Amino acid sequence: MAARGKGSAGGGTLWPWLGLAAIIILLDQITKVVVIRVFEYGDSRHITSFFNLVRVHNEGAAFSFLSQAGGWQRWFFVALGTAAVGFMVYMLRQHGGQRMFSLALSLIMGGAIGNVIDRLIHGYVVDFLDFHWRFLEPMFHGGHFPAFNIADCGITIGAALLILDELRRVRRG
């Protein structure tokens, strides 16, 4: 059984977390390949009253931050993602026995790698999940939340779990 405290690769706590990150990467890349094969850039398919499948390209970061920066941002985000993954692997080696913390890092890491792969292969991130609600109209054009992908879901859920983990840790302390 894996150690509960400090985890290490030898202690058996690193590999399950890396495996979870790999699952996120695979799901992300498979869905993006399907979207690229089925949709032309800019295509949209109505699914429900609040959800469309689309094909958009994001050369920036979240909410298209720096998307019009001229191209340097591609390599900046590749380097940032790579450095973040290295740090997360280090943290998983140190704290692999902390389940929620490690789950959060694994989800974030899988998402980061998925988006780095896109930047390396395409020069942009492929997004395809388009949610829209009327109450979002004051904030987003036509009420459409910016399109995102499976990698972004991993990053967002992982970030929420990190916050929850920290709140639980503070409450216990």
Side-chain angles (χ1 to χ4, degrees):
M1 185 167 202
R4 293 292 285 163
K6 268 191 155 181
S8 69
T13 56
L14 180 63
W15 292 109
W17 303 121
L18 294 179
L20 177 58
I23 290 168
I24 297 298
I25 296 164
L26 284 172
L27 288 172
D28 178 62
Q29 291 299 302
I30 289 168
T31 55
K32 289 173 179 174
V33 166
V34 169
V35 166
I36 288 169
R37 288 187 180 163
V38 172
F39 291 88
E40 294 292 324
Y41 174 72
D43 282 352
S44 177
R45 184 165 300 150
H46 176 81
I47 305 297
T48 71
S49 63
F50 61 89
F51 176 66
N52 300 328
L53 286 175
V54 299
R55 178 176 170 187
V56 296
H57 301 163
N58 184 356
E59 294 181 15
F63 301 100
S64 297
F65 175 69
L66 293 178
S67 64
Q68 303 298 318
W72 63 267
Q73 73 277 21
R74 173 186 186 185
W75 302 110
F76 173 75
F77 290 129
V78 166
L80 184 63
T82 302
V85 167
F87 179 71
M88 287 183 271
V89 169
Y90 169 78
M91 294 301 290
L92 285 170
R93 291 179 67 97
Q94 299 301 309
H95 305 283
Q98 296 175 17
R99 295 176 96 164
M100 187 176 299
F101 179 76
S102 297
L103 172 62
L105 287 184
S106 296
L107 293 171
I108 294 169
M109 183 168 47
I113 293 171
N115 284 340
V116 164
I117 290 169
D118 275 20
R119 291 181 197 289
L120 290 171
I121 292 173
H122 307 295
Y124 51 80
V125 174
V126 176
D127 289 326
F128 56 90
L129 301 170
D130 173 32
F131 287 88
H132 50 92
W133 295 281
R134 184 170 291 266
F135 74 87
L136 291 177
E137 286 178 3
M139 295 175 285
F140 301 107
H141 179 69
H144 290 261
F145 189 80
F148 56 98
N149 57 46
I150 302 300
D152 298 332
C153 293
I155 292 167
T156 302
I157 293 168
L161 289 174
L162 270 181
I163 293 167
L164 180 60
D165 184 56
E166 186 60 23
L167 290 173
R168 287 177 38 190
R169 190 179 346 271
V170 167
R171 191 173 250 181
R172 284 191 303 250

